[in-house]
Amino acid sequence: MIESRRKFIKQSAIAAAGTYLGTMGLSAKSYGNIIGANDRVRVGVVGFSDRFKDSLLPSFLNHQKELNFDIVAVSDLWNYRRGLGVEHLKSKFGHDITGCRNNEELYGLKDIDAVIVSTADFQHAVHAMEAVSAKCDVYCEKPFAETMADARAALKMIKASKQIVQIGSQRRSGNNYQAASQFIKEGKFGDITMVELTWNVNQPGRWRRPDLVAKLKQEDTDWKRFLINRPFEEWDPRKYLEYRLFWPYSSGMPGQWMSHQIDTVHWFTGLKHPRSVVANGGIYQWRDGRRNWDTTTAVFDYGPAGDPNHGFQVVFSSRMHNGDENPAEIYYSNGGELNLNTNMVSPKGGLKEGPASAMHMKANLLPEIKLTDNTEKVAASANTGGDKLTSAHMRNWMECIRSRKETNAPVEAGYYHSIANIMTNASARTGMKATFDEATQEVMVGGKVFTY
């Protein structure tokens, strides 16, 4: 097993090169955690979902031979999807795949080094905790958590572990996004005054799975295990398979889409969360029994805590009708804009020098420049077929498993986007402004802690 090979590598390396390790700034203990170049990394799949099958797996296959990774097992509560997963993975890897009824069986195999978590939104943080408890590295889909209790518990456990965790915020592995982050952090853009985020789709019935719902029987899965720590509800195959439509199993638009875009705000600015959020919307088109909105607008106030004279506004809007499948992210300053759809910085809309502007400040229009020649266009669909962003993000995780370096999207990235998501959901569900209590790490509405 890989653990015995690690021990051998560790002991041999310490005996032969202890002085060298000290010179290079690596302790013998940290070197022992580095997987040998010839060791195969054995990966388990937690949840044989559409997202895994059609995007994460193709991305994994792009790199697994070069980096010597393998998938050996799949865990899924539903026997039908578990069987599909076993057969599909056997066809891709050319060897037997162990099907596990649950994660206890998966980690009971003892030879799993890492897992890819692609389960229901509300389960991600718990499944990440299970993985690190089993000393497995984790690629964890977003949103990281849908309640602060889950977010805090997972952050604490992961930070106390030595496991490599990649949150599925794949923009962080895109050359154009990295260039934008550097441009802003170097002060070339100036103070951000406004950010506009939009994510509109035009797929009737999106997030619906009627054919699968018809196949699912309660006796073929484990409903209580599926619910984990959510309040008990009677069996409902729609909530099991169409969970994105039903709070508290998903916040819908905030967790699925906004989490990607709001993460860039945190990344580019170094801010951890909004100062406040107000949200409005409703179910205007798809009256199919869903609880989560099909149209959402959220307005965020960002800036230093306790300093209302400095900051900027972020607006996120999303609709599931009359949409162009072209998510947009535009950053504005007094000198122009940074557009992540065109990957251009330009003086568009910037304050021009003249009598009016001279009264306040000298004009500082931005130049017109391209952020990078290597552009990875964002794919709006969840089933992207191994798009460049997701593929680069998966590779970064795999490389970090070998090097034991921090990933592009460490657990803190997931924790911070979760705060913004939960604040948005709290405002949407209560009709009140949501804030964040830094001392207690709780989302607050109307002077009370928001839970469900």
Side-chain angles (χ1 to χ4, degrees):
M1 293 193 301
I2 196 165
E3 186 60 34
S4 62
R5 294 197 296 273
R6 282 179 179 159
K7 288 180 180 177
F8 174 77
I9 292 168
K10 178 180 177 180
Q11 292 164 357
S12 300
I14 291 170
T19 303
Y20 174 73
L21 292 175
T23 302
M24 295 300 293
L26 284 172
S27 68
K29 186 175 183 180
S30 66
Y31 187 83
N33 287 332
I34 298 175
I35 298 173
N38 295 321
D39 289 330
R40 178 165 296 178
V41 178
R42 293 169 165 263
V43 178
V45 176
V46 179
F48 189 70
S49 63
D50 292 342
R51 172 68 178 166
F52 171 78
K53 175 179 174 289
D54 297 326
S55 183
L56 301 180
L57 178 59
S59 297
F60 183 91
L61 289 168
N62 287 342
H63 313 292
Q64 58 96 197
K65 289 183 179 178
E66 177 191 351
L67 298 175
N68 200 14
F69 276 63
D70 194 15
I71 289 181
V72 298
V74 57
S75 168
D76 200 294
L77 297 176
W78 185 17
N79 59 11
Y80 172 72
R81 266 189 166 163
R82 185 166 64 248
L84 288 180
V86 167
E87 293 306 311
H88 187 73
L89 292 168
K90 281 174 67 174
S91 72
K92 296 295 183 182
F93 292 94
H95 59 67
D96 287 340
I97 301 291
T98 303
C100 302
R101 292 176 299 172
N102 52 55
N103 292 343
E104 288 178 359
E105 287 190 0
L106 177 69
Y107 298 120
L109 298 177
K110 303 297 185 185
D111 60 352
I112 303 296
D113 305 300
V115 295
I116 298 171
V117 173
S118 183
T119 49
D121 291 356
F122 75 99
Q123 298 172 338
H124 293 163
V126 174
H127 288 161
M129 286 191 281
E130 290 176 350
V132 299
S133 295
K135 294 183 168 50
C136 286
D137 300 322
V138 191
Y139 185 106
C140 182
E141 265 301 305
K142 39 74 14 223
F144 180 57
E146 294 274 27
T147 66
M148 286 310 304
D150 286 348
R152 288 193 304 271
L155 177 70
K156 181 178 180 180
M157 181 176 289
I158 291 169
K159 291 297 290 181
S161 79
K162 298 177 181 178
Q163 303 314 130
I164 300 299
V165 174
Q166 178 87 297
I167 303 301
S169 301
Q170 61 264 27
R171 281 165 170 74
R172 290 190 177 231
S173 292
N175 289 326
N176 48 331
Y177 283 89
Q178 291 168 353
S181 176
Q182 183 177 357
F183 188 85
I184 290 172
K185 287 177 178 176
E186 288 177 351
K188 296 177 182 178
F189 187 64
D191 292 338
I192 295 169
T193 57
M194 178 79 178
V195 183
E196 292 181 351
L197 310 173
T198 59
W199 196 307
N200 302 321
V201 302
N202 195 26
Q203 295 187 9
R206 187 160 178 158
W207 299 345
R208 293 295 308 273
R209 298 287 187 275
D211 293 341
L212 272 180
V213 168
K215 290 179 182 290
L216 179 57
K217 308 300 179 188
Q218 185 173 2
E219 58 268 24
D220 293 332
T221 188
D222 190 333
W223 176 239
K224 288 185 178 180
R225 190 182 286 267
F226 173 85
L227 292 175
I228 303 181
N229 56 10
R230 291 302 185 264
F232 179 77
E233 293 190 56
E234 294 297 331
W235 163 251
D236 186 342
R238 287 196 67 195
K239 294 184 178 73
Y240 188 103
L241 290 169
E242 299 177 346
Y243 58 85
R244 295 178 180 91
L245 303 175
F246 299 99
W247 176 253
Y249 312 110
S250 171
S251 59
M253 289 172 161
Q256 281 291 307
W257 297 333
M258 193 191 78
S259 61
H260 280 301
Q261 295 184 321
I262 209 72
D263 176 63
T264 66
V265 176
H266 301 157
W267 176 24
F268 294 173
T269 66
L271 296 169
K272 297 179 179 180
H273 57 77
R275 291 187 293 206
S276 67
V277 184
V278 290
N280 209 338
I283 300 170
Y284 299 118
Q285 177 64 35
W286 304 113
R287 298 177 183 86
D288 54 6
R290 67 182 65 198
R291 294 175 184 167
N292 292 333
W293 294 347
D294 62 16
T295 308
T296 299
T297 298
V299 182
F300 304 80
D301 172 50
Y302 272 92
D307 185 4
N309 294 320
H310 294 87
F312 57 93
Q313 187 178 83
V314 177
V315 176
F316 168 79
S317 64
S318 181
R319 62 180 181 267
M320 300 178 74
H321 44 86
N322 193 258
D324 56 7
E325 303 281 345
N326 192 30
E329 294 151 274
I330 305 175
Y331 285 70
Y332 297 97
S333 75
N334 203 38
E337 70 172 37
L338 187 155
N339 188 319
L340 281 159
N341 276 45
T342 62
N343 293 298
M344 293 292 297
V345 173
S346 77
K348 182 179 179 182
L351 181 66
K352 295 180 174 64
E353 189 168 6
S357 62
M359 293 173 59
H360 302 284
M361 65 185 72
K362 185 177 180 180
N364 187 23
L365 290 178
L366 291 167
E368 185 154 336
I369 59 172
K370 193 171 185 179
L371 284 168
T372 177
D373 291 327
N374 300 315
T375 299
E376 290 90 358
K377 181 174 172 57
V378 171
S381 170
N383 308 323
T384 56
D387 63 284
K388 288 184 178 179
L389 281 176
T390 305
S391 183
H393 207 50
M394 182 65 71
R395 183 183 181 91
N396 173 252
W397 176 63
M398 296 162 83
E399 289 177 337
C400 288
I401 287 176
R402 293 214 168 272
S403 69
R404 311 313 289 175
K405 294 180 180 178
E406 187 173 79
T407 58
N408 287 342
V411 64
E412 290 88 348
Y415 186 74
Y416 299 148
H417 82 222
S418 296
I419 295 173
N421 291 348
I422 296 163
M423 289 175 71
T424 305
N425 197 38
S427 178
R429 304 213 159 267
T430 64
M432 294 183 281
K433 178 185 286 189
T435 58
F436 189 69
D437 188 318
E438 200 67 51
T440 62
Q441 296 288 290
E442 292 282 12
V443 170
M444 307 296 293
V445 279
K448 298 179 181 178
V449 173
F450 176 76
T451 51
Y452 294 111

